[in-house]
Every structure is written in structure tokens, then in C-alpha cells.
Amino acid sequence: MSPRPPAQIGMPAGDIETPALVVDLDLFDANLATLRDAVRGSGLRLRPHGKAHKCPDIARHQMAAGAIGLCCQKVSEAEVFVAAGIPDILVTNEIVDPRKLARLVALAERARIGVCVDGMAHVEGLKAAVAGKGVTVDVLVEIDVGQGRCGMPPGPEMTRLAAVIADTPGLVFAGLQAYHGGAQHLRQPEERRAAIADAAAAVRRATALLDQAGLACRTVTGAGTGSFGLEMASGAYTELQCGSYALMDADYARNRFEGPVFAHALLVHATVISTAVAGQAVLDAGYKALAVDSGRPVPFEIDTDIIGMSDEHTLLRQPKDRALVPGDRVRLIPGHVDPTVNLHDWFVGVRSGVVEALWPIAARGPGL
Amino acid sequence: MSPRPPAQIGMPAGDIETPALVVDLDLFDANLATLRDAVRGSGLRLRPHGKAHKCPDIARHQMAAGAIGLCCQKVSEAEVFVAAGIPDILVTNEIVDPRKLARLVALAERARIGVCVDGMAHVEGLKAAVAGKGVTVDVLVEIDVGQGRCGMPPGPEMTRLAAVIADTPGLVFAGLQAYHGGAQHLRQPEERRAAIADAAAAVRRATALLDQAGLACRTVTGAGTGSFGLEMASGAYTELQCGSYALMDADYARNRFEGPVFAHALLVHATVISTAVAGQAVLDAGYKALAVDSGRPVPFEIDTDIIGMSDEHTLLRQPKDRALVPGDRVRLIPGHVDPTVNLHDWFVGVRSGVVEALWPIAARGPGL
């Protein structure tokens, strides 16, 4: 499927072809263990978000580190994860296209499948897709807990929708999707605390209404790397969807964290290709290797700044303590992990300076 | 190679699965004809930039519309274009890695291959790569004409480098790469005129120095969609590298153009998946389908604004004249064509409302 990888197993890390997405496997393992340990004993389930990595190998490592399944945003991602043997997938998104719904329902023959809805159109679509297929699909009503993207307000319309789901053959009303994406990137712990307090209050209003209607809310799922300790402590959630924790990025590093801290396990390796213009060095990686929606990448362990970027190039100020020359390697912390990963076809896993793993980003793409 | 395409030939355009990169084939043909006609009779060669589309099918259309070959930025792109039968490829970039140089030289057995240098390290690398291979590679010295990225200043060091190239078996000193990328996006014609006047003056200084040294400058190549009329009129250039003209984007549309105007042949089709939050509609395309390095996309033929974006979603204000509902299609003009195309695996070509072509973006990726 994927083009030629930028490395071979056993190769020194310095020989990886660039640009390349390189995972420090010790830090990656530590990040997975840190989250597993933070959640252990809480009674909450861990369902890491596969949208961050789109990679079956990482999904399998997350399952081995205590996950009960994965989430994803696209049916095409769910297909890749089910094909890789992940037994339980939640699509944390609304699906409208009948062809996509048919593909989602087909996956329910091979795995436990959940999906979100926030209106009657989605439920009608699911009802038609599941009719006569002899499978069941878990359906979660998405509520807006402050993100302002998808999701109904907690209220009578939400309860009616849950009741319709519960009454539809082949559909199971499984609970609530209650993710507050905006809260993840609030920089101060007290800002995140306030945002998740509001989110948890909205969840409680929703579950109270559902309880009154006799609709059991088995699952309340949400949370991310920036806030999961707060959802965990709130008592309102049953499941955590952290994604970025496994790899991390420069944007999350701008948060002030209390509690467990995750390491930068993911770097983009680049090579200096030109120093002809005085005072600068040009790298062979630009917008096609590094997403900039959440800010530019950050040079790693080198005293320099990025002074410009274009499609295939990043311009660095020459460091004061050394002169970069063509062929030198520079490592960059991605600005935002998910869309940066989505630009690449391979993760190159490195341990003790040697390439140990090549993981295809099998679900890469805008997603159908 | 590529995952399943988002459409089938013969399908109505309204049935294309989303998100999808859709080309209006009539407008695409018209854009190619417009540039061909603008250049015809000028004596300049047309070498469109393949980095904009990474697609052999588009490259073949450009060859049929008067191109003498293509340019690209990566050896992996050159490999795709040579495999597709394009007979003449210029890599408008510096290559350092000996493995990449070996692959580039191998392509010279099957096509005319050119590459840029801006320092002795590149020439030494090429010399080693070409030794004993029985092929020749065209080498252009890149000069900095105002872009401030790669490229030497016109001067004695440049002349010495050209002389070394000319004396190296297997290498041909072919001329100058003189691209001013920054000039393309200056909004006013008079700003672009001033920038390209400076660029052309730098080219003349360089060619005069090379002439004095007896080094014939067969090719001076550069220019882009924003400025090519100026390079053409300057008399300093022999070859034009326009790329965006074939498809266009919202950023180029912010230029005030004199002379030929190119149409928005490329749109991203998206579907409304949620309208649960009052006053807004959520699309199924975000940062993984639409690059934002040069600004957000622009809604096409609908009275709305983008009020938010995230990895897989774009939030629109509900239009005043109608209410979008789940399942409705919305089309977006990409903010920046090259990195948006690089997110997708297929172009879907539409004519008269029907899918006529499916073109794989075969060189998609950060590029090795």
C-alpha cells in the first residue's frame, strides 16, 4: 500500500532518509505506561483515539497497554483498525452518507462497532443501514459539552433521540459522547478545570434526563490528553479517549500540566540541503511534512529558530555555537501531531539509536 | 497504490464521496490553453511545476498543452513522472543524500534529468553519483533572486561552481535556476513588477559573469503563476515553471492580475454531517483534507463563512437564505493548492456534472 519506507530495520537512526516521522520507542512505551498507570484502579475504560496515529501497529501497542478498544473519526479508519484485529471500535463522529453507513454496519460482523449521532437524520440512516443485516451497532448520542462543534444540548430532544435508538432493531443506545476538544488546549490547569467542570455538569444533566426516561447510560466517553485527569475525577465519565499522549507535540507542550507528563516521542527528522544564503540553513521538510495549523514545529535540542517555511522547505537561523552545513540532520517537534502524522506514510521506530520498527500509517488520508 | 477512489467514472458529481478533491475538467483544459496561448510565440519554453499536483495524468495533459517537460522538488516525484513517460524532468531543488543522488542519476538512463546546486557539496555529491554510470545530468546553479531560500548570489563563487560543473564528466552546466517564490503572492501588479525587475537584473548580472568566463547559459528557468508574464517580458528567462495555474486556489485569487486570468478548476467537496449546534453546519473535511498554511479555504457559491476548523471538521455559519441540513454538499476553494493536493490520493475529474476521470496523486507525500 504505502510507498517505500524511509529506513530499514537495523539501520542507525542517523541514516534514516528524510523527511521522516521518527518515534523514540522508549519514550513511546513510557507514554503508554504512564497513561495506563494513571487510569488503573479508577474503574474507567481507556479507548485511545486512533485519529492521532492512523496506525494499526500503534493501536495494537495501545491494546497491550490496557486499552479496551480504539476510537476513530472516519469509517475508512475503522476499516483499517478492524482489519488489523482491533475488536472494539467507536467512531466518535456523525456519519451521513448511506454508503459509509453500509460499510460501518458491515464491520459489525467482525468487531464491536459504535458510532455517534446528534440528530434524527443519523438515526434514520443507521436504521436503514442495519435493517436485515443481523448485527447490532452501539449508538451514542453526542452532546455538546462546550466544544461547540457537533452534539445536541442536554434536553428533551436528546432524550427522545435516545428513546428512538433504543426502540430501533439492530441499534443499541449505548450512552453519551461528551468530548470537549477546546478544553484540551487551554494552557492553565485552572482554565481546564473550569471547562471540564462545566462539561461534567452537562453530562450529569443529560444522564439525569435519560435516567428519568428509563434509558440507561452505560457509557459516557470523552476526554483528551490535556484534561483526562479531570474527567476521571469528575465521576461523570466511564471512558477516556486520549490520543496525543502516545506521541505528543509542540502545541500540547505549551500546556502547563499537573499530574502525569508525556514525553515528545515523535520527531520529524530533516536534512540541511542549502546554506548558500548567509545566516540561514534550509531543511528538506516543509508544509508537506509538517502541519502548521497549530503553529510551526519547534527545533529539538538545537539553539535555533525557524525563520520561514514553504511547501518543501524550512528555513532555520544558523545556530550561534556551530555552523550547519549541507547534510547535517535537524530534528523538529511537530506543531500538531494528528495532521502531521497524516502527511506521512510511515513511522520509523528507533531504540538506542537503531531503527527497530517500520509502522505503516495505513489509514492515512482525508478519510472516506 | 492508492486507496479506493471517492467516485466511479460515470457517476453524477453529486454522488462523489466526500471529502474529495474535484477538478472541473472544462476549466482545467481552459487554464492549460490559457497558459499555452500566453507563452506561444514568445520563444520561451514551458516546464510546469509538478509539485503542485504530483499527478502523472495532469503532467501528460500539460505535455499535450505545449510543455517541454516538468519540474518537481523531490527525487521521488521525478521517479513517478519518469515512470509515467515524461521525457524531461528538472528537480528545482538541492539534493544532498547520496542515496537520493544515486536514484536521480539512475533516472537519467530513461529521461533527460536536471537538478539544481548552490554549493560545492552538491556538485561533489553529483560527481560521485554519476561516476562510471555512462549518463549525463543537466546541472543548474540556483541563484537567489529575492526569494531568500536556496541559491547563491550572482558573483565569482557562482562562476567558479559553474566552471567545476562544466569540467566534471557526466555533468553538463545547463544554466540558472532563478525562481522568486515570494513575488508570486505580492498582491499588486506593481509590487510583482518591481520584484521581478530585481530578479531579472540579478539574472543579467549572473549571465554576464558566466559569459565572461566562457560558460554558456543555455537555460534560465523560473517564474510562477503570479509573475510569469513579467519574466517572459524581461528577456532574461528562457523557461517558465508555473504550477498553480492549472488548478488555482484562494491565495492566488487574492492577487490582482493583469493579463490572463486562471479559473478555480479545483474544489474540495464536503458534506454537512451535523447541524445540532444552533446557527452552524459542520462539514466532514478539516485540516486533513484542506491545508491552511496560506489561510482557510473559501466557501464556493454559497453565502456563508467559516467559523472554525479542526482536524476532520469545518464549521460554517448557516447561510441566511437557506438552512443547510445533514447530507447537503458544500464546495470549498482550497486556501493553497499544493499542500491541499498533497493530503489526497485522487483527483476526481468532472465534466458537465458527470465524473469523467480518476487521477491518482501518485507522488503524494513528503517526498524522499
Side-chain angles (χ1 to χ4, degrees):
Chain A
M1 281 286 289
S2 300
R4 193 171 59 80
Q8 294 173 343
I9 306 280
M11 179 182 267
D15 286 354
I16 297 167
E17 279 194 65
T18 62
L21 206 53
V22 179
V23 178
D24 181 310
L25 294 173
D26 286 331
L27 296 178
F28 170 79
D29 289 346
N31 286 345
L32 266 51
T34 297
L35 186 62
R36 180 199 61 209
D37 295 347
V39 175
R40 180 179 283 164
S42 70
L44 275 80
R45 296 186 296 271
L46 182 58
R47 183 187 288 281
H49 219 306
K51 81 190 227 14
H53 54 69
K54 290 175 171 268
C55 172
D57 296 277
I58 292 184
R60 285 187 285 255
H61 277 82
Q62 290 174 319
M63 294 299 289
I68 54 101
L70 260 79
C71 6
C72 61
Q73 292 285 62
K74 296 284 181 173
V75 176
S76 51
E77 292 171 345
E79 288 172 332
V80 165
F81 289 130
V82 169
I86 307 299
D88 184 342
I89 300 290
L90 170 62
V91 180
T92 57
N93 205 359
E94 281 65 22
I95 311 292
V96 171
D97 187 323
R99 294 165 296 186
K100 289 181 167 64
L101 289 167
R103 287 162 46 215
L104 185 75
V105 167
L107 293 177
E109 296 174 14
R110 294 188 283 154
R112 176 168 204 155
I113 298 294
V115 65
C116 296
V117 302
D118 69 5
M120 200 57 80
H122 309 118
V123 178
E124 286 168 1
L126 278 163
K127 180 180 178 180
V130 85
K133 299 296 183 201
V135 297
T136 58
V137 172
D138 285 346
V139 182
L140 291 87
V141 175
E142 181 162 8
I143 59 170
D144 179 16
V145 294
Q147 165 87 336
R149 190 171 66 190
C150 301
M152 315 175 81
E157 200 185 335
M158 171 204 75
T159 309
R160 277 195 295 277
L161 194 66
V164 172
I165 297 164
D167 285 345
T168 302
L171 304 185
V172 173
F173 172 66
L176 298 173
Q177 162 79 6
Y179 175 63
H180 193 332
Q184 306 309 312
H185 308 279
L186 297 171
R187 298 306 177 206
Q188 299 304 323
E190 52 274 22
E191 298 173 287
R192 297 196 296 278
R193 195 173 297 123
I196 300 306
D198 287 349
V203 167
R204 286 192 200 92
R205 287 197 301 280
T207 52
L209 288 168
L210 292 162
D211 279 347
Q212 287 165 22
L215 293 157
C217 215
R218 190 182 71 219
T219 296
V220 178
T221 184
T225 299
S227 72
F228 73 95
L230 300 165
E231 281 92 344
M232 203 162 66
S234 73
Y237 285 77
T238 69
E239 195 173 273
L240 304 174
Q241 299 179 358
C242 310
S244 301
Y245 76 101
L247 299 169
M248 290 296 286
D249 60 30
D251 187 60
Y252 262 118
R254 286 186 276 267
N255 277 15
R256 193 163 72 79
F257 278 105
E258 292 173 339
V261 170
F262 301 99
H264 288 300
L266 183 74
L267 299 173
V268 170
H269 286 209
T271 300
V272 175
I273 58 166
S274 169
T275 54
V277 172
Q280 75 182 26
V282 183
L283 302 179
D284 64 350
Y287 297 138
K288 294 179 184 172
L290 294 151
V292 293
D293 56 272
S294 301
R296 286 176 173 171
V298 174
F300 183 73
E301 293 187 351
I302 179 172
D303 175 24
T304 180
D305 306 294
I306 292 176
I307 54 179
M309 284 184 75
S310 53
D311 291 353
E312 291 89 3
H313 301 95
T314 294
L315 276 58
L316 299 180
R317 178 180 55 72
Q318 279 282 13
K320 289 206 180 74
D321 55 343
R322 55 183 281 215
L324 290 169
V325 297
D328 283 348
R329 299 298 181 100
V330 174
R331 294 170 296 170
L332 302 163
I333 305 169
H336 185 186
V337 59
D338 308 37
T340 296
V341 167
N342 186 54
L343 296 168
H344 293 259
D345 294 296
W346 296 88
F347 288 107
V348 178
V350 169
R351 200 185 311 267
S352 305
V354 175
V355 174
E356 182 180 300
L358 294 169
W359 294 337
I361 302 170
R364 197 217 69 77
L368 290 179
Chain B
M1 284 285 291
S2 301
R4 193 172 60 80
Q8 295 173 342
I9 305 281
M11 179 182 267
D15 286 354
I16 297 167
E17 278 193 67
T18 62
L21 206 52
V22 180
V23 179
D24 182 311
L25 294 173
D26 286 332
L27 296 179
F28 169 80
D29 290 345
N31 286 345
L32 267 51
T34 297
L35 185 61
R36 179 197 62 207
D37 295 348
V39 175
R40 179 180 283 163
S42 70
L44 274 79
R45 296 186 297 269
L46 183 58
R47 182 187 288 281
H49 218 306
K51 81 191 225 16
H53 54 70
K54 290 176 171 269
C55 172
D57 295 277
I58 292 185
R60 285 187 285 254
H61 278 81
Q62 290 173 319
M63 294 298 289
I68 54 101
L70 258 77
C71 8
C72 62
Q73 292 284 67
K74 296 284 183 174
V75 176
S76 50
E77 293 170 345
E79 287 171 332
V80 166
F81 289 131
V82 169
I86 307 299
D88 184 343
I89 299 289
L90 170 64
V91 180
T92 56
N93 206 358
E94 281 66 23
I95 311 293
V96 171
D97 187 323
R99 294 164 297 186
K100 289 180 167 64
L101 289 168
R103 287 161 47 215
L104 185 76
V105 166
L107 292 177
E109 295 174 14
R110 293 189 285 153
R112 177 167 204 154
I113 297 294
V115 65
C116 296
V117 301
D118 69 4
M120 199 57 79
H122 309 117
V123 177
E124 285 167 3
L126 277 163
K127 180 180 177 181
V130 85
K133 298 298 183 198
V135 297
T136 58
V137 173
D138 286 346
V139 182
L140 290 87
V141 175
E142 181 162 8
I143 58 169
D144 179 15
V145 295
Q147 165 86 335
R149 189 170 68 193
C150 301
M152 317 175 80
E157 200 185 336
M158 172 202 76
T159 308
R160 277 196 296 275
L161 195 66
V164 172
I165 297 164
D167 285 343
T168 302
L171 304 186
V172 174
F173 172 66
L176 298 173
Q177 163 79 5
Y179 175 64
H180 191 333
Q184 307 308 312
H185 307 278
L186 296 173
R187 297 307 178 205
Q188 300 304 323
E190 52 274 22
E191 296 173 286
R192 297 196 296 280
R193 194 172 300 123
I196 300 305
D198 288 349
V203 168
R204 285 192 201 94
R205 285 197 302 278
T207 51
L209 288 168
L210 292 162
D211 279 347
Q212 286 166 23
L215 292 158
C217 213
R218 190 182 71 216
T219 296
V220 178
T221 183
T225 298
S227 73
F228 73 94
L230 300 167
E231 281 91 344
M232 203 162 67
S234 73
Y237 286 76
T238 68
E239 194 174 273
L240 304 174
Q241 299 179 356
C242 310
S244 301
Y245 77 100
L247 300 168
M248 290 297 285
D249 60 31
D251 188 61
Y252 262 118
R254 286 188 276 269
N255 277 14
R256 194 164 71 79
F257 279 106
E258 291 173 340
V261 170
F262 300 100
H264 287 301
L266 183 74
L267 299 172
V268 169
H269 286 210
T271 300
V272 175
I273 58 166
S274 170
T275 55
V277 173
Q280 75 182 27
V282 183
L283 303 179
D284 63 350
Y287 298 138
K288 294 180 185 172
L290 293 151
V292 294
D293 55 272
S294 302
R296 285 177 171 171
V298 173
F300 183 72
E301 293 187 349
I302 180 172
D303 175 23
T304 181
D305 306 293
I306 293 176
I307 54 180
M309 285 184 76
S310 52
D311 291 355
E312 291 89 3
H313 301 96
T314 294
L315 276 58
L316 299 179
R317 177 180 55 73
Q318 277 282 11
K320 289 205 180 73
D321 56 342
R322 56 184 282 214
L324 291 169
V325 297
D328 283 349
R329 299 300 181 99
V330 174
R331 294 169 296 171
L332 302 164
I333 305 169
H336 186 184
V337 58
D338 308 36
T340 296
V341 167
N342 186 55
L343 295 168
H344 294 260
D345 293 295
W346 294 89
F347 288 107
V348 179
V350 169
R351 200 186 309 269
S352 305
V354 175
V355 174
E356 183 180 299
L358 295 169
W359 294 336
I361 302 170
R364 197 217 70 76
L368 291 178

